[in-house]
């Protein structure tokens, strides 16, 4: 029997034609045939070997995949919480992917670790949970969390959908990623998304540092929540929220950070292109000593802070050795509990900047024994300030600018 198509059907309806019962039966039977499938003709039926080249080896579902998709699927390792100590299993999975890279998927629940997770990798390993409130990494015993060092520049590993929780007071770094130093690269950097960093009981537990990146070009941090200890006043026990050491061209957006000494700190020694280029947008930093601190000698070129709120004890923004910066659409408050000398924006040796459309105030501050300054400028040139407003309850001698 040969395959019959639409031409045969049309011929049955030509004037004067009278197809026989046998012809109709042949037409119907042939509709169950295909011209070729894996080199055969006949009714489609999966046999061993059909799905090895470009399809999932599931003959019941017959799901088609490209070779690229199949390779990506094979690189995914799926893990679930054991209900006990998960350190050995997860560390082994990380080590197995160190050379080639791959994806580790973590299911819903709490993974418990009694030693830090570490690896030096030549391939990009991504850590993907079900969501920061569904997948929990709990680190017991005063240890650091996850520390990955990449031996080569890696294109876009991902850490997403995971909470990093400590059960200890002011110990260790929750997440640290280190890349090799490079003068310049356009390789997309690490993506950290939908990540929470906190203590198990924030009245007694907190990390010493939250997220720390070293020599990481083009990193993106999106939807980040960091919570330090429930301290009443500065200084805070968690020293850093996000720390960038010699990390050029990074982006931070939708970050919410509470109760740390520094929410975002940019520092380093001039490696990896000098730490130039940082954009922080759509953020809320509350109950902290300093909101954003930039001090990376000799200079940090290209800094933007826009669309955010900082409620700080000492400094909203503190920029040193910064060039070509823009600070816009911010609400900078001195926290009501602060008795510290306070500046909304402190600029030192920072040139070619534009500061505009910011509200800088001390609402509700009752202790006026210390100075409050809206914008403090020292050894700073070629900068423009416009559309700044605010209200102060301050002692004599304090000033807006």
């Amino acid at each position: 029997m040969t395959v019959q198509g639409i031409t045969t059907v049309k011929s049955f309806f030509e004037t004067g034609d009278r197809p026989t019962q046998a012809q109709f039966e042949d037409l119907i039977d042939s509709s169950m045939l295909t011209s070729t499938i894996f080199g055969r003709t006949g009714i489609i039926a999966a046999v061993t070997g059909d799905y090895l080249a470009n399809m999932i080896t599931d003959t019941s579902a017959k799901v088609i995949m490209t070779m690229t998709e199949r390779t990506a699927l094979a690189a995914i390792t799926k893990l679930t919480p054991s209900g006990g100590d998960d350190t050995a299993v997860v560390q082994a999975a990380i080590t197995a992917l160190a050379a080639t890279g791959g994806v580790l998927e973590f299911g819903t629940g709490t993974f418990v670790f009694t030693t830090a997770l570490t690896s030096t990798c030549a391939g990009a390993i991504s850590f993907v949970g079900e969501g920061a409130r569904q997948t929990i990494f709990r680190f017991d015993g005063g240890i650091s969390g996850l520390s990955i060092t990449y031996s080569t520049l890696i294109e876009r590993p991902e850490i997403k959908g995971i909470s990093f929780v400590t059960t200890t007071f002011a110990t260790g770094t929750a997440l640290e990623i280190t890349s090799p130093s490079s003068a310049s690269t356009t390789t997309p950097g690490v993506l950290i998304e939908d990540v929470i960093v906190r203590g198990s009981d924030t009245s007694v537990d907190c990390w010493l540092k939250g997220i720390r990146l070293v020599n990481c070009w083009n990193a993106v941090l999106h939807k980040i929540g960091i919570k330090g200890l429930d301290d009443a006043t500065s200084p805070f026990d968690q020293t850093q929220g996000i720390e960038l050491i010699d990390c050029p061209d990074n982006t931070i957006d939708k970050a919410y950070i509470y109760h740390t000494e520094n929410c975002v700190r940019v520092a380093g020694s001039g490696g990896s292109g000098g730490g130039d280029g940082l954009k922080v947008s759509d953020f809320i930093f509350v109950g902290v000593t300093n909101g954003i601190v930039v001090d990376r000698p000799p200079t940090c070129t290209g800094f933007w802070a826009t669309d955010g709120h900082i409620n700080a004890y000492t400094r909203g923004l503190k920029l040193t050795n910064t060039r070509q910066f823009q600070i816009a659409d911010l609400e900078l408050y001195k926290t009501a509990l602060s008795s510290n000398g306070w500046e909304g924006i402190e600029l030192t040796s920072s040139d070619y900047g534009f500061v505009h459309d910011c509200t800088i105030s001390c609402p509700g501050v009752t202790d006026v024994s210390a100075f409050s300054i809206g914008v403090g400028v020292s050894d700073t040139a070629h900068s423009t300030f416009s559309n700044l407003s605010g209200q102060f309850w301050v002692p004599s001698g304090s000033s807006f600018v």
Side-chain angles (χ1 to χ4, degrees):
M1 183 186 301
T2 59
V3 176
Q4 301 183 50
I6 190 65
T7 302
T8 302
V9 176
K10 290 180 178 179
S11 70
F12 287 178
F13 293 92
E14 293 175 352
T15 303
D17 280 0
R18 291 188 175 185
T20 66
Q21 177 179 336
Q23 287 176 309
F24 272 113
E25 289 173 349
D26 286 347
L27 175 65
I28 294 171
D29 288 342
S30 74
S31 68
M32 300 180 66
L33 301 181
T34 182
S35 56
T36 60
I37 182 165
F38 297 111
R40 302 188 306 277
T41 60
I43 296 174
I44 299 174
V47 299
T48 301
D50 283 356
Y51 296 86
L52 294 181
N54 62 349
M55 307 179 78
I56 295 177
T57 52
D58 178 358
T59 57
S60 61
K62 304 181 180 65
V63 180
I64 297 175
M65 296 182 72
T66 66
M67 182 58 74
T68 299
E69 292 169 332
R70 182 176 176 79
T71 301
L73 180 65
I76 296 175
T77 301
K78 297 186 178 182
L79 301 169
T80 56
S82 66
D85 188 349
D86 298 291
T87 307
V89 171
V90 175
Q91 182 63 67
I94 295 172
T95 302
L97 295 178
T100 60
V103 179
L104 295 177
E105 288 189 351
F106 297 88
T108 298
T110 299
F111 293 81
V112 178
F113 306 108
T114 52
T115 60
L117 301 173
T118 62
S119 183
T120 298
C121 304
I125 301 179
S126 292
F127 299 77
V128 181
E130 296 289 336
R133 299 192 181 280
Q134 284 74 46
T135 301
I136 313 297
F137 281 12
R138 194 187 82 199
F139 297 87
D140 295 342
I143 57 175
S144 285
L146 174 63
S147 178
I148 300 294
T149 298
Y150 290 107
S151 58
T152 58
L153 288 172
I154 301 296
E155 183 167 343
R156 188 119 297 175
E158 299 180 356
I159 294 90
K160 60 194 302 185
I162 298 171
S163 281
F164 293 81
V165 176
T166 180
T167 58
T168 311
F169 168 72
T171 303
T173 299
L175 173 62
E176 181 165 359
I177 299 175
T178 303
S179 288
S181 180
S182 174
S184 180
T185 180
T186 58
T187 300
V190 64
L191 170 64
I192 303 174
E193 181 179 24
D194 186 23
V195 165
I196 293 175
V197 174
R198 62 177 177 84
S200 178
D201 178 352
T202 55
S203 67
V204 293
D205 304 321
C206 69
W207 294 98
L208 183 65
K209 296 184 178 183
I211 298 173
R212 187 172 192 264
L213 305 184
V214 181
N215 294 331
C216 290
W217 277 84
N218 307 318
V220 175
L221 291 81
H222 174 65
K223 292 178 64 178
I224 307 297
I226 299 176
K227 174 68 172 70
L229 200 70
D230 297 337
D231 292 340
T233 59
S234 174
F236 295 95
D237 295 292
Q238 181 164 330
T239 60
Q240 310 296 337
I242 298 171
E243 187 174 42
L244 307 175
I245 307 298
D246 290 329
C247 291
D249 297 334
N250 288 187
T251 299
I252 301 171
D253 77 299
K254 290 183 170 54
Y256 306 91
I257 303 177
Y258 302 86
H259 301 140
T260 66
E261 274 293 285
N262 300 311
C263 290
V264 176
R265 176 174 179 259
V266 178
S269 58
S272 278
D276 297 344
L278 171 65
K279 182 176 182 180
V280 187
S281 63
D282 194 8
F283 60 90
I284 297 177
F285 303 154
V286 172
V288 298
T289 298
N290 303 302
I292 302 174
V293 177
V294 179
D295 185 7
R296 197 220 53 81
T299 60
C300 177
T301 302
F303 170 80
W304 299 264
T306 61
D307 299 305
H309 170 59
I310 300 175
N311 182 302
Y313 278 77
T314 304
R315 297 290 186 272
L317 293 94
K318 183 178 181 179
L319 308 186
T320 305
N321 301 315
T322 305
R323 302 287 184 271
Q324 300 172 20
F325 59 90
Q326 180 171 197
I327 301 169
D329 298 302
L330 300 185
E331 186 177 59
L332 306 175
Y333 283 176
K334 179 178 183 177
T335 189
L337 298 175
S338 175
S339 59
N340 299 354
W342 182 84
E343 295 184 28
I345 302 172
E346 179 185 305
L347 302 174
T348 304
S349 301
S350 297
D351 303 325
Y352 303 100
F354 188 17
V355 182
H356 62 95
D357 297 291
C358 295
T359 299
I360 308 173
S361 296
C362 297
V365 173
T366 57
D367 187 341
V368 295
S369 61
F371 70 90
S372 293
I373 295 176
V375 181
V377 178
S378 174
D379 194 22
T380 293
H382 309 292
S383 296
T384 302
F385 304 85
S386 68
N387 294 333
L388 305 180
S389 64
Q391 186 176 15
F392 292 84
W393 287 263
V394 296
S396 62
S398 293
S399 60
F400 190 81
V401 177

